[in-house]
Amino acid sequence: MNRFFGSLLLIIVSLSQTFAQQVTPPFLQNSNQRWVDSVFNSLTPDERIAQLIMVAAHGYPTNPKRVIIDTTFTNPRVVAQYIKDYKVGGVIFFQGGPVQQAQLTNYYQSISKVPLLVAMDSEWGLAMRLDSTVRFPYQMTLGAIQGNDELIYQMGRSIAAHKKRLGVHINFAPSVDVNNNANNPVINFRSFGENPQKVFEKSYAYMKGMQDGGILSSIKHFPGHGDTGVDSHYDLPVIPHNRARLDSVELYPFRKLIEKGADGIMMAHLAIPSLDTAKNVPSTLSKPIVTGVLKDQLHFNGIIYSDAMNMKGLTKYFPNGLGDAKGLEAGMDILEFSPNVPAAIAQIKKSVAEGRISQAEIDARVKKVLAAKAWVGLDHYQPVDTRNLTTDLNDKQAELINRRLTENALTVLKNDNNIIPIQNLDKITIASISLTDAPAITTTTKDGVVALGTRNETLSTGDITTFQKTLSLYTNVEHYVVHPLTPDSIQDRIRTALKSYDIVLVGAHLNNIRPGANYGVSPNTAAWVKELANNQNAVITVFGNAYSLNKLDGIANAKGLVMAYQLTPFTEDLSAQLLFGAIGAKGKLPVSVNAQFKYDSGIETPAIGRLKYTIPEEVGLNSQWLSFKIDSLAYNAIAQKATPSIVVQLAKDGKVFYRKAYGTHVYPMPIPGVSVAPRPTQLTDLYDLASVTKIAGSTLALGRLHGEGKFNLDATMKDYLPDFKKSNKADLVWRQVLTHQAGLRAFIPFWRDCLKPDGSWKKRTFRWGKESKGAYTIQITDSLWLHKKYSKKMYESIKDSPLNPKKEYVYSDLSFILYPLVVENLTGENFETFLKSHVYRKIGANSLTFNPLRSHSLTTILPTERDTFFRRTLVHGRVHDEAAGMLNGLSGHAGLFGNANDLMKVTQLFLQKGQYSGEQFVAEKTMNEFTSYQFPESRRGIGFDKPCRQYCGNAPRSASPLSYGHTGFTGIMIWNDPAYNLNYVFLSNRVYPTRDNNGISTLNLRTSILQVVYDGLGIK
């Protein structure tokens, strides 16, 4: 007997500890009880019943292809009648646009006796139901994230903020169903996965985020909808498992979340014989399940919602309001999507009259609902402000959360020979192919409801995809697209072509994520994937449901395989960045697909220091503010004709957060002698980088050689230029030469030295003509040619030129003209060949080139000056600097062309202490020395410019003493600031149509744009 009482005492103590640990739902902790009692006392018995009914409503989507739900009971006239005549307690919106929904909400609230609870079923954000809103990742995608549940919490907070802004109080989410059935037609990708503990952890983060954001949540679908092959929208699924299995799997997340303060639970329409043996009674209407299990055994005291009361899993057996009455009898609190309010109220009143449910039970539930209304602020109701609504619902912080969630979910499933991240860019050829099967119209379900999970991101147009566009940011990639309209003959030609590449990057763009649509896998896509995987040069990224892997025969033969889980612009963009090592892979499969791809499969891959592309918010800046500030400066400069075009690219911490092109190649107004069209400036356009060549070419080459011990800063000119042994420059020290204080003249006007007094050319210098002739082979313009040996005369002129009287700072081009000779003497390689083979091609900076007309269309190159004194034509596609032109476009002081993105790869290499893409191109010690002040009286580093020791305007006012960079005569600027890890590239052709235009200097445009970033970061 004593043993019995002792055991009983232990049980009581254990139970009391369990209850003590259980958190009370937030809305029951802090409600306005005075308001609750006042409202309750104003309600008639029928109105109290109506407070427990939530009717469906909808707007009309702006996209006419989206089919709206059945309007019999959901059109605004009927909903308004239910609100005015029956005093229903809430509405649930299903689809439409945000402004229209807000307007309907305001109208419905204005005619309601008691403020309405407004709900939405939007598991992945408002975009699950509304156009023009944010779509967060599906829960299956989030299930791939390892740790980092804080990100899911942030998503919950963001969704709560969007809901509140729209006047919505409840989100019927998250789904805490444990999906362990690959053929589950209704949950599937809506689940966090098959591990009950992980489902709980991620569901809790999501739920807590919404609660802390002031929104009611509703975990679902109790007691667990994850292991069924039947869609409860159309029939009643049966869950055959025994109670032990249910406790360990299906019920586990619910139990843990109830302990953590779950405020709402949605019931599922399921038959579960082990919990209730009654035939054809869905769990929604089962008292043993709703009251017995959920309330009595799991001690849930929040709000119990039904799943939609119009679903066939319920109405098939309980039509015409009978199901509503049975639901309240079972223990539910709110009947969601009750299709026939008069019939529901009549049946519920009948249940009260016949004693199957008491008025006291009705009253208690009404007070609970009113407490929830008070908690969400309906005790001080305010209409939704529709001004700037769509903008507010598409905030950049939500985009940042979206990007971070996606990045952390991406999963590498195969990585033979560490093919990911892709390296050795200089030694391989790469192609991409996007396989798209976009449907002609959005898929709909049998009853006309838009199918959850359908996506139409990539249209069947043949345009390259977002995935391919991002791939092109890293290196040269040849792109192919196959879509439903691609002729067989072209597909055959593509097949043949792809076999010749070293790597083929395949994007399988699956436009449906549901098992009923074969996960969007068409026969054509499946055939392509199988063939490409067997070619042994394919890295395949699947933009679709993880279970689709089981529908893609042979995919395991691919060299590399990335699971992106769904098709969105974020998954396409970030998957491409993962392939090139800008980000690493961290995700793991949240479900078992088959024997090859099991739960928790996933290979981590590293980030290797390539540029990442993101938005300003990721580096702590405000997109709207930043764009306004930079746009104002750029457009003002163009309006004042300081330059016709501008490209700005900015990065912090290796993350490119701003890339924008402004203006046109030339001014729109015609200029005599210029026939160039005012094409809009593109980010990929090539600019004449002018003196930035000194940094991105000469200093880079010398730095590499210095790190290899081949170039000594304290050696003299004669050591590396033997022809200078007997000159006045023989003993000049390179350290002083590279800091512009060795006494060299600023420049030599070589072309003028070729003129006779009468203005004609001296012998063996230039000749005019449409074609080269004899020794005149160096092309300066379409009709001006230089003698092929004149470069020797130029070098002699430099050697023989006098030195300045004092060794003080004088910016000089002369030594930089000589550096190609130094590089060739030390390496035996041509200057351009050295740069391209040892750096540019390796880092994917393939647009950086001298003499760009050899490889680029003139339409992609910005023109510079309309030269009226030397070349007597528009300089376009050839170097603007006269001396560089006379050196056949190849010099160390000017001549380099390139686009902003590729130039930033070089400057990022500098910022990363000589490292890029996992390779050390310049020794770290060298970079530290080259970018440091060299002499107390000089602001210069080795080759690099640095801020004046006392502000002089050559750098942003807030630039740190560690910063460095250079400008170019044509209107270029690069600037790095290691103190804040900033990287800046500014391109313009300010010399068009004349070099006399100093507008960008007068406006301090280049430094002012970078100063905006310092200001935005709060750096003084």
Side-chain angles (χ1 to χ4, degrees):
M1 182 66 70
N2 288 339
R3 184 180 302 169
F4 170 78
F5 282 115
S7 299
L8 181 61
L9 179 62
L10 286 174
I11 293 171
I12 293 170
V13 169
S14 176
L15 286 172
S16 65
Q17 288 175 343
T18 299
F19 298 151
Q21 293 172 355
Q22 185 166 318
V23 177
T24 301
F27 79 91
L28 292 177
Q29 298 178 34
N30 302 295
S31 61
N32 184 343
Q33 192 60 46
R34 179 177 295 180
W35 181 85
V36 170
D37 292 340
S38 172
V39 173
F40 176 81
N41 291 331
S42 73
L43 299 174
T44 67
D46 283 8
E47 290 172 348
R48 293 174 190 175
I49 292 172
Q51 281 296 301
L52 306 181
I53 294 176
M54 179 175 285
V55 296
H58 63 77
Y60 294 89
T62 56
N63 181 355
K65 291 182 179 180
R66 293 196 65 177
V67 181
I68 62 174
I69 57 178
D70 180 11
T71 61
T72 306
F73 299 108
T74 60
N75 70 65
R77 181 185 59 79
V78 174
V79 173
Q81 180 186 359
Y82 287 159
I83 294 169
K84 286 191 292 187
D85 295 351
Y86 296 96
K87 311 298 188 295
V88 295
V91 295
I92 174 172
F93 280 96
F94 279 91
Q95 64 185 103
V99 174
Q100 186 187 54
Q101 177 168 314
Q103 292 169 340
L104 283 171
T105 297
N106 287 343
Y107 169 64
Y108 292 151
Q109 294 283 22
S110 72
I111 61 174
S112 181
K113 176 178 179 178
V114 179
L116 299 161
L117 270 180
V118 179
M120 289 184 74
D121 195 353
S122 43
E123 297 155 23
W124 50 88
L126 294 178
M128 179 171 169
R129 300 300 181 188
L130 302 180
D131 56 48
S132 310
T133 52
V134 173
R135 170 181 292 264
F136 286 103
Y138 299 137
Q139 288 187 197
M140 185 73 77
T141 307
L142 303 178
I145 297 174
Q146 302 303 297
N148 265 324
D149 290 341
E150 171 65 20
L151 290 175
I152 299 174
Y153 171 85
Q154 291 174 16
M155 182 191 78
R157 287 297 297 259
S158 183
I159 289 174
H162 295 163
K163 297 276 187 184
K164 291 186 79 169
R165 180 66 182 87
L166 189 58
V168 178
H169 314 110
I170 307 171
N171 188 17
F172 289 130
S175 168
V176 304
D177 304 296
V178 180
N179 200 88
N180 38 32
N181 186 331
N183 297 314
N184 191 321
V186 66
I187 302 302
N188 203 287
F189 64 92
R190 297 165 65 192
S191 166
F192 284 114
E194 68 181 44
N195 182 311
Q197 177 65 25
K198 295 292 186 183
V199 169
F200 154 65
E201 291 170 0
K202 295 181 185 301
S203 297
Y204 175 63
Y206 186 0
M207 178 188 82
K208 190 71 167 67
M210 288 191 291
Q211 288 178 340
D212 289 353
I215 290 293
L216 295 165
S217 67
S218 175
I219 60 177
K220 60 186 185 184
H221 303 81
F222 189 87
H225 210 320
D227 191 6
T228 174
V230 175
D231 187 342
S232 53
H233 288 86
Y234 308 118
D235 207 339
L236 182 63
V238 177
I239 305 297
H241 304 303
N242 62 32
R243 180 60 188 266
R245 153 61 193 257
L246 292 172
D247 279 339
S248 62
V249 179
E250 281 78 9
L251 290 175
Y252 179 84
F254 290 99
R255 180 185 302 108
K256 298 291 288 184
L257 289 166
I258 289 169
E259 292 173 4
K260 290 289 188 178
D263 49 352
I265 290 180
M266 176 181 282
M267 299 298 301
H269 302 314
L270 304 171
I272 310 172
S274 64
L275 299 181
D276 187 347
T277 57
K279 188 176 181 181
N280 296 327
V281 175
S283 48
T284 327
L285 311 186
S286 167
K287 191 165 187 175
I289 294 175
V290 179
T291 298
V293 176
L294 182 54
K295 288 184 173 182
D296 296 342
Q297 296 175 21
L298 299 183
H299 308 288
F300 179 65
N301 59 355
I303 298 176
I304 303 174
Y305 304 90
S306 72
D307 203 343
M309 297 298 288
N310 71 327
M311 291 166 64
K312 300 296 191 295
L314 184 146
T315 59
K316 181 177 181 179
Y317 302 104
F318 299 91
N320 303 321
L322 183 59
D324 299 88
K326 292 291 185 184
L328 290 187
E329 292 173 23
M332 289 195 299
D333 298 309
I334 291 183
L335 305 168
E336 180 247 320
F337 203 158
S338 181
N340 191 326
V341 172
I345 292 176
Q347 288 287 356
I348 295 167
K349 289 174 67 176
K350 183 178 179 182
S351 292
V352 173
E354 295 176 357
R356 291 191 295 275
I357 185 170
S358 69
Q359 186 64 47
E361 290 178 284
I362 297 288
D363 292 348
R365 295 176 199 180
V366 172
K367 288 182 178 180
K368 186 192 297 186
V369 170
L370 291 174
K373 289 187 176 186
W375 185 78
V376 296
L378 287 173
D379 54 345
H380 297 91
Y381 165 73
Q382 292 292 324
V384 180
D385 184 352
T386 58
R387 293 172 298 179
N388 302 315
L389 178 60
T390 302
T391 299
D392 293 346
L393 295 177
N394 288 274
D395 59 297
K396 283 293 182 177
Q397 282 300 324
E399 181 180 341
L400 177 59
I401 295 167
N402 230 326
R403 297 184 70 87
R404 285 176 169 164
L405 290 166
T406 301
E407 179 179 339
N408 280 273
L410 297 175
T411 304
V412 172
L413 294 173
K414 282 205 70 184
N415 195 19
D416 292 353
N417 301 318
N418 293 318
I419 195 169
I420 303 169
I422 298 165
Q423 295 179 281
N424 302 314
L425 301 183
D426 57 324
K427 298 176 182 177
I428 58 174
T429 56
I430 306 174
S432 81
I433 179 169
S434 282
L435 308 171
T436 76
D437 287 292
I441 59 172
T442 306
T443 306
T444 58
T445 58
K446 296 175 186 176
D447 59 356
V449 178
V450 175
L452 300 178
T454 57
R455 217 47 195 130
N456 196 10
E457 293 286 358
T458 307
L459 299 176
S460 306
T461 60
D463 294 337
I464 67 171
T465 60
T466 298
F467 175 61
Q468 293 173 308
K469 290 174 183 175
T470 303
L471 293 174
S472 288
L473 294 173
Y474 291 99
T475 190
N476 289 338
V477 181
E478 295 293 326
H479 300 299
Y480 302 87
V481 177
V482 171
H483 54 84
L485 302 180
T486 306
D488 290 344
S489 59
I490 293 179
Q491 293 195 43
D492 289 341
R493 284 159 51 191
I494 293 173
R495 284 189 176 90
T496 301
L498 292 179
K499 292 178 181 178
S500 65
Y501 293 91
D502 297 305
I503 296 178
V504 177
L505 304 175
V506 183
H509 301 258
L510 308 183
N511 283 280
N512 198 304
I513 205 164
R514 294 170 65 84
N518 203 40
Y519 303 109
V521 178
S522 70
N524 194 48
T525 294
W528 267 100
V529 167
K530 183 176 182 179
E531 180 178 344
L532 291 168
N534 287 329
N535 285 346
Q536 289 297 297
N537 64 350
V539 177
I540 301 175
T541 302
V542 178
F543 300 104
N545 194 314
Y547 291 122
S548 68
L549 294 171
N550 211 32
K551 304 292 183 179
L552 293 165
D553 186 34
I555 196 170
N557 295 327
K559 297 283 285 184
L561 177 60
V562 178
M563 171 48 64
Y565 298 100
Q566 58 188 102
L567 178 60
T568 73
F570 300 118
T571 57
E572 291 191 67
D573 177 21
L574 289 162
S575 292
Q577 297 195 44
L578 183 150
L579 292 176
F580 280 102
I583 60 176
K586 310 179 192 75
K588 294 184 183 295
L589 278 181
V591 292
S592 294
V593 176
N594 52 34
Q596 292 170 308
F597 303 115
K598 298 179 181 179
Y599 169 78
D600 214 31
S601 296
I603 302 166
E604 291 191 18
T605 63
I608 58 172
R610 287 195 177 115
L611 288 171
K612 178 183 180 182
Y613 300 85
T614 185
I615 58 175
E617 281 68 18
E618 187 164 343
V619 298
L621 290 162
N622 181 286
S623 291
Q624 186 176 6
W625 178 87
L626 187 71
S627 294
F628 172 77
K629 289 287 190 178
I630 296 178
D631 286 355
S632 298
L633 291 167
Y635 288 128
N636 177 60
I638 292 171
Q640 294 195 39
K641 295 186 172 52
T643 177
S645 74
I646 295 170
V647 173
V648 176
Q649 184 155 324
L650 289 155
K652 185 180 188 303
D653 304 327
K655 300 168 184 175
V656 179
F657 62 86
Y658 195 90
R659 301 177 69 227
K660 191 165 183 178
Y662 300 86
T664 51
H665 283 205
V666 297
Y667 295 113
M669 79 288 290
I671 293 177
V674 175
S675 58
V676 178
R679 298 180 183 87
T681 311
Q682 304 296 319
L683 289 168
T684 52
D685 286 340
L686 273 66
Y687 282 77
D688 181 338
L689 303 181
S691 286
V692 168
T693 304
K694 294 181 173 74
I695 303 305
S698 296
T699 304
L700 173 61
L702 295 177
R704 184 173 177 88
L705 295 174
H706 179 272
E708 295 172 350
K710 297 176 181 177
F711 180 78
N712 184 350
L713 285 172
D714 296 313
T716 61
M717 290 188 77
K718 67 176 182 294
D719 294 324
Y720 304 131
L721 292 171
D723 289 347
F724 279 61
K725 281 184 179 179
K726 296 181 180 180
S727 76
N728 59 356
K729 302 171 185 65
D731 295 322
L732 296 183
V733 177
W734 287 112
R735 188 182 299 274
Q736 292 183 322
V737 171
L738 280 159
T739 51
H740 300 278
Q741 58 181 54
L744 295 176
R745 293 173 58 187
F747 70 99
I748 297 173
F750 297 104
W751 72 273
R752 289 180 187 165
D753 294 340
C754 299
L755 286 172
K756 296 178 183 179
D758 64 0
S760 62
W761 299 118
K762 293 178 182 178
K763 187 178 180 181
R764 296 171 65 83
T765 58
F766 291 99
R767 70 173 296 275
W768 295 100
K770 290 296 183 183
E771 296 178 355
S772 63
K773 185 175 181 181
Y776 295 90
T777 58
I778 307 300
Q779 189 169 19
I780 306 299
T781 71
D782 289 347
S783 56
L784 182 63
W785 304 81
L786 177 66
H787 195 282
K788 64 182 180 180
K789 294 184 178 180
Y790 194 79
S791 60
K792 294 182 179 180
K793 174 72 173 175
M794 297 171 68
Y795 298 137
E796 288 291 327
S797 296
I798 295 173
K799 184 177 71 171
D800 296 339
S801 64
L803 294 172
N804 296 322
K806 292 183 180 180
K807 286 190 176 181
E808 58 187 5
Y809 175 67
V810 174
Y811 180 80
S812 173
D813 283 348
L814 299 188
S815 73
F816 285 88
I817 292 174
L818 301 173
Y819 291 133
L821 300 180
V822 173
V823 171
E824 190 163 352
N825 288 339
L826 292 175
T827 67
E829 292 182 79
N830 169 271
F831 183 58
E832 181 177 22
T833 301
F834 178 84
L835 288 168
K836 287 185 173 181
S837 62
H838 292 281
V839 184
Y840 296 164
R841 292 193 185 107
K842 286 176 176 285
I843 67 175
N846 297 299
S847 75
L848 295 182
T849 188
F850 297 86
N851 296 307
L853 288 176
R854 295 174 302 177
S855 53
H856 293 78
S857 165
L858 195 62
T859 60
T860 65
I861 306 170
L862 276 291
T864 51
E865 185 177 14
R866 184 170 176 266
D867 185 348
T868 59
F869 47 86
F870 167 34
R871 288 156 288 198
R872 304 176 193 175
T873 188
L874 176 67
V875 181
H876 191 188
R878 296 188 174 92
V879 61
H880 175 268
D881 183 88
E882 297 90 349
M886 294 172 69
L887 290 166
N888 201 20
L890 181 61
S891 179
H893 78 294
L896 191 63
F897 285 71
N899 64 41
N901 191 52
D902 284 348
L903 180 57
M904 183 167 274
K905 292 172 187 174
V906 173
T907 55
Q908 188 65 29
L909 181 156
F910 293 149
L911 194 58
Q912 293 175 175
K913 303 292 187 181
Q915 184 274 339
Y916 193 84
S917 62
E919 184 173 346
Q920 196 74 36
F921 292 92
V922 180
E924 181 175 348
K925 185 177 180 181
T926 295
M927 285 306 309
N928 289 335
E929 184 165 11
F930 274 40
T931 58
S932 299
Y933 291 111
Q934 296 297 304
F935 302 104
E937 67 276 13
S938 171
R939 75 176 196 235
R940 288 278 172 171
I942 301 299
F944 293 98
D945 196 9
K946 289 182 65 64
C948 294
R949 295 175 189 270
Q950 299 231 335
Y951 178 72
C952 67
N954 76 316
R957 189 174 292 277
S958 298
S960 79
L962 296 175
S963 67
Y964 57 87
H966 213 281
T967 56
F969 186 77
T970 52
I972 314 298
M973 184 176 188
I974 59 173
W975 203 262
N976 284 351
D977 196 336
Y980 309 107
N981 224 3
L982 289 175
N983 185 345
Y984 173 47
V985 172
F986 175 97
L987 305 180
S988 77
N989 56 335
R990 69 97 191 166
V991 293
Y992 179 86
T994 171
R995 70 182 66 191
D996 296 331
N997 180 6
N998 291 314
I1000 64 170
S1001 296
T1002 303
L1003 296 169
N1004 294 319
L1005 178 63
R1006 291 176 284 191
T1007 56
S1008 294
I1009 286 177
L1010 183 52
Q1011 182 61 45
V1012 168
V1013 178
Y1014 286 106
D1015 293 343
L1017 293 171
I1019 298 168
K1020 302 299 183 184

